[in-house]
Structures are given as structure tokens and as C-alpha cells.
């Protein structure tokens, strides 16, 4: 089966993540979506949620979506987690499955700074989703790399076990976790940016105040 994986800080998870990832899953006909909260750099200065809270919110969001689960693998690691190593581990965990790692185009533009980035496709495909306001320029190196690995046909992702990049035409959802945290702090409306279960969790735990 094909498993799509969306990694992110998810502080908090919101409809931008969920709608864009669902649209990707539909386009590439993946069978399952994994929401993968990443360990957070300790120096982030805003009042963020803990790893447990971010995982709890991802789990609540996943329970509203068919064929979707949250996975706390990266949060349980004592060392810093790198996507390349996580994909290697997931490949061992699900050797029969085709893995697709989903990234927003802002994250994709910075791919060259990722640990062993040229090996990201060893065990997975990569699908890039659109992000409003991210006027990203892909570097020369990234463009050259992309030219060798890009596929314009999502069906190709089912024909190869790994190694392809697909730029998905996802609708633009103008939502970011930063905007949600700011809205909460400044008492603007924000609950419509997240699933109800997540909004209730944020309110109950008084997050981002
Ligand atoms: P922050 O505002 O704290 O940076 P964020 O909303 O960008 O958070 P992350 O959890 O860092 O969210 O993002 C996880 C992944 O989802 C990244 O690949 C990011 O590019 C992508 N993403 C986040 N929001 C959107 C959106 N509205 N549309 C498409 N992709 C998104």
C-alpha cells in the first residue's frame, strides 16, 4: 500500500496542513496518511506546546480523517530526528509499502540544508504541496537535482518504490501555525483554522496564551 507522511512541528496542527495533505493523498491515490510531529528545537522562543501536546492534537485531528493516524516516532527519539533517518526506519517498519513524504514548497526550497538530502529519495518519493505567500526560488542545485527526479505523472509514484518528486497542484490554504498562535495571543478569532477537537484541546489546556 502507499503511505503518505506529513512531517511538521504542528504547533498547532491546522486545516492548512490537513486540507493540503488530503488533497495530495487524493491526487496520488495514497491509502493512508501519517501525521508525524517533529521534535522541536529547544530554543524556539514563543510560548509553544509541548511535544506531548502537539502529538495529542495531531492524534485528535487524525481521528477525524479516514485512513489517517498520528505517529510519535520522532518525538520518542533521544537524538535529533532527521527525515532521512526516519524514512529509513519507516521503510524497515513497512518494507512492503511505498512511502511518500509530503512537504510544503517553503520547506522544499530549503531541502539542501536537510541531513543527507540527496538520500531522501532512497526509500521514499517526495510530493511538494503549494503554500500561499511562499515566493520560493529553488536554487540552481535544487533545480538540477529536480530535473533528474521530477515526475509529472502521479501514477509514476505507484510504478516505482521510491525516487520520484511530484509537484502537486494543491489548492492554496492561507493558514500558518504562527498566524494561529498570534491570533490567540491577540484575541482574534482563530478556531475556524483548526478542527473542533483541536480547538477544544487548545482552549482546555490554555495553549499559546
Ligand atoms: P509555523 O508557522 O510555526 O512555521 P507551519 O504552519 O508552517 O508552522 P509546520 O508544522 O512547520 O507548519 O509545517 C509542516 C509542513 O506543512 C511543512 O512542510 C509546511 O511547508 C507545510 N504547511 C504548513 N502550512 C501549510 C499550508 N497552509 N499549506 C500548505 N502546506 C503547509
Amino acid at each position: 500500500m502507499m503511505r503518505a507522511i506529513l512531517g511538521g512541528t504542528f504547533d498547532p496542527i491546522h486545516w492548512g496542513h490537513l486540507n493540503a495533505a488530503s488533497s495530495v493523498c487524493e491526487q496520488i491515490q495514497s491509502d493512508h496518511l501519517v501525521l508525524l510531529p517533529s521534535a522541536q528545537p529547544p530554543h524556539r522562543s514563543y510560548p509553544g506546546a509541548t511535544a506531548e501536546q502537539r502529538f495529542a492534537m495531531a492524534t485528535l485531528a487524525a481521528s477525524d480523517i479516514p485512513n489517517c493516524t498520528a505517529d510519535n516516532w520522532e518525538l520518542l527519539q533521544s537524538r535529533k530526528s532527521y527525515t532521512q533517518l526516519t524514512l529509513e526506519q519507516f521503510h524497515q517498519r513497512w518494507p512492503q509499502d511505498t512511502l511518500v513524504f509530503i512537504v510544503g514548497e517553503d520547506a522544499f526550497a530549503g531541502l539542501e540544508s536537510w541531513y543527507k538530502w540527496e538520500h531522501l529519495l532512497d526509500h521514499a518519493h517526495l510530493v511538494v504541496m503549494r503554500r500561499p505567500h511562499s515566493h520560493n526560488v529553488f536554487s540552481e542545485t535544487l533545480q538540477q537535482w529536480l530535473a533528474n527526479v521530477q515526475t509529472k505523472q502521479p501514477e509514476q509514484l505507484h510504478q516505482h518504490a521510491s525516487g520520484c518528486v511530484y509537484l502537486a497542484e494543491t489548492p492554496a490554504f492561507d493558514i500558518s501555525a504562527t498566524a494561529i498562535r498570534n491570533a490567540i495571543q491577540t484575541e482574534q478569532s482563530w478556531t475556524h483554522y483548526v478542527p473542533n477537537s483541536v480547538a477544544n484541546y487548545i482552549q482546555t489546556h490554555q495553549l499559546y496564551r
Side-chain angles (χ1 to χ4, degrees):
M1 82 166 177
M2 181 178 274
R3 248 176 241 273
I5 302 156
L6 175 65
T9 319
F10 302 149
D11 198 11
I13 195 150
H14 53 67
W15 284 123
H17 300 124
L18 300 168
N19 287 337
S22 298
S23 163
V24 164
C25 288
E26 213 172 293
Q27 282 178 53
I28 65 171
Q29 308 224 330
S30 93
D31 306 287
H32 194 92
L33 174 64
V34 179
L35 302 173
L36 180 72
S38 50
Q40 190 169 289
H43 50 78
R44 281 180 91 154
S45 55
Y46 60 81
T50 64
E52 291 72 25
Q53 289 169 331
R54 291 184 295 113
F55 177 60
M57 291 187 280
T59 304
L60 288 168
S63 66
D64 287 343
I65 301 171
N67 305 314
C68 180
T69 46
D71 194 294
N72 60 356
W73 167 258
E74 291 199 343
L75 303 177
L76 295 176
Q77 303 314 300
S78 49
R79 56 164 170 73
K80 190 172 176 336
S81 33
Y82 294 105
T83 301
Q84 199 273 336
L85 296 177
T86 300
L87 291 173
E88 219 168 74
Q89 155 65 27
F90 281 11
H91 174 64
Q92 282 172 26
R93 201 202 285 184
W94 296 306
Q96 309 296 336
D97 294 353
T98 302
L99 304 179
V100 175
F101 194 76
I102 307 175
V103 284
E105 62 178 328
D106 55 324
F108 182 74
L111 203 72
E112 283 168 82
S113 66
W114 293 24
Y115 176 76
K116 287 197 183 171
W117 73 278
E118 281 160 309
H119 288 277
L120 284 167
L121 300 181
D122 287 0
H123 300 296
H125 298 301
L126 210 60
V127 172
V128 183
M129 52 189 188
R130 284 226 185 110
R131 183 109 200 238
H133 311 305
S134 70
H135 307 291
N136 295 296
V137 188
F138 298 162
S139 75
E140 196 73 18
T141 314
L142 194 57
Q143 284 184 43
Q144 276 169 16
W145 180 77
L146 190 56
N148 290 320
V149 291
Q150 184 176 4
T151 177
K152 303 228 160 138
Q153 277 109 29
E155 306 81 52
Q156 291 275 320
L157 307 184
H158 290 271
Q159 282 151 20
H160 303 273
S162 62
C164 303
V165 176
Y166 176 63
L167 307 186
E169 294 285 321
T170 48
F173 302 102
D174 192 2
I175 309 174
S176 76
T178 305
I180 295 171
R181 294 190 304 268
N182 288 341
I184 294 173
Q185 273 185 342
T186 55
E187 298 183 5
Q188 316 279 318
S189 66
W190 59 274
T191 51
H192 55 291
Y193 292 136
V194 299
N196 282 338
S197 53
V198 174
N200 289 337
Y201 187 94
I202 292 173
Q203 282 162 335
T204 307
H205 293 82
Q206 307 203 343
L207 299 181
Y208 311 121
R209 297 282 177 86

